[in-house]
Amino acid sequence: MAQPQCVVYDGGIAHPTDAAPADALAEARRRGGMLWVGLSAPSADEVSALADVLQLERLGVATALRTHQRSKLERFGDHLFVVVQPSQYDEPTETVQCREVDLFVGPDFFVVISGDGAVDIDRLRALLDEHPDIAARGPLGVLWGTFEYVTRGYRSVMDEIEHDIDEIEEELFGEDEGVSRRIFALQREVIDLRHATAPLPTIMDRLEHYVASRNPSGEAPGYREIADRARYIDARVAAFRETLDNALTIHATLVDQRRNDQMSEMTRRSIEQNDQVKKISSWAAIGFAPTLVAGIYGMNFQHMPELAWPWGYPFALGLMVAVSAGLYLVFKKKDWI
């Protein structure tokens, strides 16, 4: 059973407590501060129980119970439901690990839920302790700090992906056809990262207007800065995907070209072999004609035509020369020799 982690913030100062969420919320309101609640791998009943204490909209709770969601922002009553996906890049396996974190942001509470327990929510809270000025701004300030942390994490992931793309470009013109597998695998990781980052510009624009509408000055410069960063992240990830698509196409073209070159070389060698066979066959036929004539007249049968003819020997020699010369001219005309 997941035990909610409750921390009461008063003026940005953290006051951890073992009290139940209802008591911790009452303490935060008494102090005029904010309640931070963290849940790791909770059950549906535990999320519902917390929702009852914080009076969260049931539709938002049902949305939070669905896993494998993309980054999103929804508004339910007087609180926000936000899905973010912090990411990490594993260099040895060249994989992007995007983990879902659900956030409920109310007027005086901030809830962090890691559905599968893969995200270290203690680290997220530690950032607030390191920067009390963020916590002092209330739940919307904490939400800003969360997006600041998540978007900066994307930049380091993108730097790692860019490094791998540079390596792929160097391997692209090599002889290793297995680079296509690496391109395709990295392409899948970039697609997963894009699922996490593509909604961010719209989310941040909506948050900027939402926060600005509650700010006396009518501005939300911190959110505007993250919105610009989100657009940069989205454009860069889209460029990665396009680059990998082009790399895969180029590699396929190069592989086909190398195979065509190999086929051309095989065809050339086959033609050369055929030419050699033609030459050998032609000279063999030319050499066979005199052998045939000589073989016939060398049988030494007693009754043979022209056996006693005085011109038989010169005729036989002439016949040999004539047949050989005729065959030579025929093969020469056909360019066999």
Side-chain angles (χ1 to χ4, degrees):
M1 180 175 181
Q3 178 65 32
Q5 301 180 35
C6 297
V7 180
V8 174
Y9 283 90
D10 181 11
I13 305 302
H15 301 280
T17 177
D18 295 331
D23 296 333
L25 180 61
E27 176 66 16
R29 288 173 175 173
R30 186 185 66 79
R31 290 173 175 263
M34 174 194 73
L35 173 64
W36 183 95
V37 182
L39 279 173
S40 181
S43 66
D45 291 339
E46 291 165 346
V47 175
S48 297
L50 181 62
D52 291 338
V53 172
L54 301 178
Q55 296 181 350
L56 302 177
E57 291 286 341
R58 287 299 173 184
L59 182 58
V61 175
T63 304
L65 293 176
R66 294 200 301 265
T67 57
H68 305 294
Q69 301 184 84
R70 297 187 181 184
S71 300
K72 64 191 300 185
L73 167 65
E74 295 183 5
R75 183 178 176 183
F76 299 101
D78 62 349
H79 72 265
L80 303 176
F81 172 69
V82 183
V83 177
V84 294
Q85 292 185 325
S87 65
Q88 292 182 335
Y89 190 72
D90 186 42
E91 177 62 29
T93 60
E94 295 185 354
T95 56
V96 177
Q97 299 173 348
C98 295
R99 306 296 188 182
E100 177 184 336
V101 176
D102 300 327
L103 309 174
F104 286 99
V105 184
D108 50 11
F109 62 82
F110 189 92
V111 180
V112 182
I113 301 176
S114 175
D116 57 4
V119 176
D120 186 2
I121 59 176
D122 289 334
R123 174 57 182 161
L124 295 177
R125 189 181 68 81
L127 293 174
L128 297 180
D129 296 342
E130 295 171 3
H131 303 279
D133 56 317
I134 295 178
R137 299 175 186 173
L140 292 178
V142 176
L143 182 60
W144 173 88
T146 302
F147 274 106
E148 177 77 9
Y149 170 76
V150 171
T151 53
R152 288 191 180 277
Y154 287 142
R155 298 185 69 170
S156 62
V157 170
M158 291 188 299
D159 289 342
E160 294 290 344
I161 292 177
E162 187 173 38
H163 174 72
D164 288 334
I165 290 177
D166 291 340
E167 291 181 349
I168 287 174
E169 290 176 345
E170 294 176 359
E171 298 173 358
L172 196 59
F173 296 94
E175 299 295 330
D176 183 13
E177 296 186 6
V179 70
S180 60
R181 183 183 298 274
R182 184 182 183 187
I183 294 173
F184 182 77
L186 188 59
Q187 191 178 47
R188 292 300 310 168
E189 301 304 318
V190 170
I191 290 174
D192 290 341
L193 181 62
R194 182 156 175 75
H195 288 166
T197 59
L200 287 180
T202 302
I203 290 175
M204 297 313 304
D205 286 340
R206 291 176 59 193
L207 278 176
E208 180 184 353
H209 288 95
Y210 179 82
V211 175
S213 66
R214 283 156 176 74
N215 192 336
S217 65
E219 296 183 355
Y223 281 92
R224 185 180 306 117
E225 178 185 353
I226 298 181
D228 292 339
R229 185 186 305 154
R231 281 185 281 272
Y232 165 77
I233 292 171
D234 182 47
R236 192 175 176 189
V237 173
F240 286 159
R241 183 173 182 181
E242 182 178 356
T243 300
L244 290 170
D245 286 341
N246 293 335
L248 196 59
T249 301
I250 292 173
H251 185 261
T253 302
L254 292 174
V255 170
D256 289 340
Q257 182 179 350
R258 283 196 289 267
R259 289 176 177 173
N260 290 337
D261 291 342
Q262 292 174 355
M263 292 297 296
S264 298
E265 180 65 16
M266 292 176 62
T267 303
R268 184 186 65 80
R269 292 182 181 180
S270 178
I271 293 174
E272 290 180 353
Q273 290 176 354
N274 290 338
D275 291 339
Q276 295 297 327
V277 170
K278 289 178 181 179
K279 291 180 181 180
I280 294 173
S281 301
S282 299
W283 286 112
I286 293 172
F288 176 71
T291 303
L292 177 63
V293 175
I296 294 175
Y297 280 92
M299 293 180 183
N300 295 325
F301 289 106
Q302 184 174 2
H303 301 287
M304 288 185 65
E306 303 169 354
L307 187 62
W309 187 31
W311 296 98
Y313 180 69
F315 174 77
L317 292 178
L319 182 61
M320 294 178 189
V321 173
V323 172
S324 298
L327 290 173
Y328 177 82
L329 292 176
V330 171
F331 293 141
K332 187 69 174 178
K333 185 176 181 180
K334 291 186 177 182
D335 199 24
W336 282 27
I337 56 177

